[in-house]
Amino acid sequence: MDQILGKVLRDAVWERLDMLADLATRADAQSLVSVARSELPRLTEGWRAMLEKHEPDERGDCPTCSTRWHRCKAPCSVWQVAHEHLVAGGLAPQRDLRRAARRSSAAVPTQTRSAEATGRHALIPQVATH
């Protein structure tokens, strides 16, 4: 049951991102301003909430990515991706955000995805995702 719910949640998020990406490229100026005013605050709050969970602890470890047996030093992969996409801008990989074709195919485990599929830039050292 958890797998089904997880898939429903993931699909809903991907669909929302696809819709926003489509709006960004196809909407007229007035619609784009309206969408930006409503969606940018939601997106920034979402990033903030996610990044707060990955703030380093007093030892410099990411409490979310670390496990009992393996500590993940900050910055974890979540912070690296945030930096790539929110700060680095032009260095971030260019991807087609419409993933409908990929979603219809068999799911690929995270650890086997390529750097492009996971949004990682080749110049940024890879950190294991936990």
Side-chain angles (χ1 to χ4, degrees), residues 96-113:
D96 180 4
L97 296 178
R98 287 180 230 124
R99 298 173 179 254
R102 290 184 212 165
R103 272 188 262 128
S104 65
S105 63
V108 178
T110 303
Q111 58 269 41
T112 63
R113 290 183 184 166

Side-chain angles (χ1 to χ4, degrees), residues 2 5 16 26 29 42 44-45 79 82 90 109 113 122 124-125 128 130:
D2 288 341
L5 178 59
R16 182 68 171 194
R26 296 183 185 196
R42 293 177 62 195
T44 56
E45 279 305 307
W79 274 100
R113 290 183 184 166
I124 305 292
H130 294 84

Side-chain angles (χ1 to χ4, degrees), residues 105-128:
S105 63
V108 178
T110 303
Q111 58 269 41
T112 63
R113 290 183 184 166
S114 69
E116 182 180 348
T118 58
R120 295 185 178 139
H121 191 276
L123 298 177
I124 305 292
Q126 300 302 306
V127 175

Side-chain angles (χ1 to χ4, degrees), residues 50-67 70-81 83 124-130:
M50 181 173 47
L51 291 172
E52 284 175 5
K53 295 188 179 298
H54 293 269
E55 275 291 316
D57 60 18
E58 62 281 348
R59 294 179 298 197
D61 297 331
C62 173
T64 304
C65 294
S66 294
T67 67
H70 175 40
R71 308 309 300 167
C72 179
K73 285 291 183 195
C76 68
S77 61
V78 171
W79 274 100
Q80 291 178 20
V81 169
H83 182 268
I124 305 292
Q126 300 302 306
V127 175
T129 305
H130 294 84

